[in-house]
Amino acid sequence: MNAVPYVIIHHSFTPGECHTQKQCANAMKSIQNYHREVNKWNDIGYNFGVGGDGRAYQGRGWGHVGAHAPNYNSQSIGICLIGDWRYFVPPESQLEVTKKLIKYGVDQGFIQSNYTLYGHRQVRSNTECPGDALYKEIQTWEHYSSIVTP
Ligand SMILES: [Zn+2]
């Protein structure tokens, strides 16, 4: 997989936010179980999860096509901020780690340096993901674009 042009931000909605490594690892596990057993995918759909414990968790990881945003999977890295972010923004540490993870991906050549950042709802109708509060937050981030070019 070459450097991808898009980064797509998600929230987990359920499970809700996590604060310790144990809670966050369990949350990742429960998302993985859901994606495998209910969605019948071969692994967790997201490339990465980020927890309220300030850690990034590997899902499919770099260089693998995820299952998180139809039409964009092969061209994007999908990052899920664990929690329900409709009404509250994630803690600062969770936001910072997400930004660091993206920067790392750019530095390592997994993400194009001129990438475009989207919230999931922009590339899929019928979802409120990544939640109103988080969606508002990412609109202030570098590389966010309100223009969607499929
Ligand atoms: Zn989503």
Side-chain angles (χ1 to χ4, degrees):
M1 198 167 148
N2 296 321
V4 296
Y6 300 105
V7 173
I8 297 177
I9 301 295
H10 301 262
H11 73 164
S12 61
F13 183 58
T14 55
E17 57 193 281
C18 58
H19 303 283
T20 67
Q21 186 172 10
K22 189 164 189 269
Q23 288 171 348
C24 295
N26 283 341
M28 284 296 286
K29 187 80 195 151
S30 90
I31 297 168
Q32 184 184 44
N33 288 343
Y34 188 88
H35 286 177
R36 277 183 170 158
E37 287 155 28
V38 181
N39 296 6
K40 303 290 181 202
W41 298 340
N42 56 6
D43 198 358
I44 189 166
Y46 308 117
N47 295 89
F48 292 93
V50 175
D53 62 341
R55 288 182 177 87
Y57 292 85
Q58 183 164 318
R60 299 213 183 182
W62 304 113
H64 296 279
V65 177
H68 60 91
N71 301 324
Y72 283 84
N73 286 324
S74 64
Q75 310 179 74
S76 67
I77 290 294
I79 303 174
C80 176
L81 282 78
I82 299 167
D84 168 1
W85 306 121
R86 291 176 299 171
Y87 308 115
F88 305 99
V89 287
E92 195 56 38
S93 60
Q94 194 168 2
L95 298 173
E96 282 310 310
V97 169
T98 306
K99 291 177 185 172
K100 275 188 195 156
L101 180 67
I102 297 170
K103 185 177 182 309
Y104 179 87
V106 171
D107 291 345
Q108 297 296 312
F110 296 114
I111 300 171
Q112 292 179 11
S113 55
N114 63 343
Y115 72 91
T116 300
L117 180 88
Y118 289 140
H120 189 194
R121 65 173 65 178
Q122 292 178 271
V123 296
R124 180 182 185 150
S125 55
N126 227 352
T127 180
E128 50 152 28
C129 184
D132 284 347
L134 178 56
Y135 183 51
K136 204 168 167 195
E137 163 67 27
I138 65 168
Q139 289 178 48
T140 68
W141 293 12
E142 245 185 301
H143 295 277
Y144 167 81
S145 176
S146 60
I147 300 157
V148 178
T149 48

